[in-house]
Amino acid sequence: MRAAFFPLLLLVLPLFTVAKGKVPSHFSDQVEAALTCRSEFSPTYWQDYFRLHLGQPLRTWGEAEWFDSQGALLAGNPSEEVFVNVTDSGALMVGALFETKVETVRSNIETRLSIAFTPLPGPYPRYLSKFGSVLVGLSNGHTKWYCARWHLGNRP
């Protein structure tokens, strides 16, 4: 009986291998809209969306679930990971992590999405768009791009 299933397994296995690691064509548009603060802001929506297209989170850290973004291009920048806050967090946040320096990520976003970022004062490079989108240069040369809203408990 097992011998009969082996050839079938060899035919089906490549289908799973091809499908893995490939984000849908709408992924970049959807996530870019969220990162620019022009989109759906339900943590449940983003948790479900990321699980559907990226699988289970790599880890839960800093009140967020982190997912392997499979190198998806976001405003021309290859992403390393995407994240969304956990449901009981005080923040409503969707973000992405890039292995690229903040100056390059900023330039690509401004060129491709026509969004301007203003430098913010502080000990590390940080930029804010008029929509509330934030870029942060990290000490390891990586960049975080996110949109956050704070849950103040006085709104539905």
Side-chain angles (χ1 to χ4, degrees), residues 41-92:
F41 239 88
S42 160
T44 304
Y45 171 86
W46 286 107
Q47 289 165 350
D48 291 346
Y49 185 84
F50 289 152
R51 277 187 173 83
L52 176 65
H53 299 296
L54 303 175
Q56 291 302 308
L58 298 170
R59 67 187 166 285
T60 300
W61 177 80
E63 292 192 24
E65 292 182 337
W66 295 74
F67 297 83
D68 178 354
S69 62
Q70 303 173 16
L73 286 178
L74 301 174
N77 300 290
S79 60
E80 182 179 359
E81 297 177 7
V82 290
F83 60 92
V84 60
N85 65 280
V86 294
T87 308
D88 59 351
S89 171
L92 304 174

Side-chain angles (χ1 to χ4, degrees), residues 92-150:
L92 304 174
M93 181 180 287
V94 176
L97 181 67
F98 305 90
E99 291 183 347
T100 312
K101 291 185 180 272
V102 69
E103 295 81 13
T104 303
V105 173
R106 177 184 176 194
S107 175
N108 286 338
I109 295 168
E110 289 181 339
T111 300
R112 287 177 168 81
L113 302 180
S114 299
I115 294 174
F117 285 92
T118 303
L120 297 173
Y124 49 87
R126 206 166 42 134
Y127 302 89
L128 178 68
S129 79
K130 70 178 181 178
F131 305 106
S133 184
V134 178
L135 284 174
V136 179
L138 306 175
S139 61
N140 62 359
H142 292 144
T143 300
K144 243 195 263 188
W145 179 19
Y146 64 88
C147 181
R149 300 287 187 251
W150 308 109

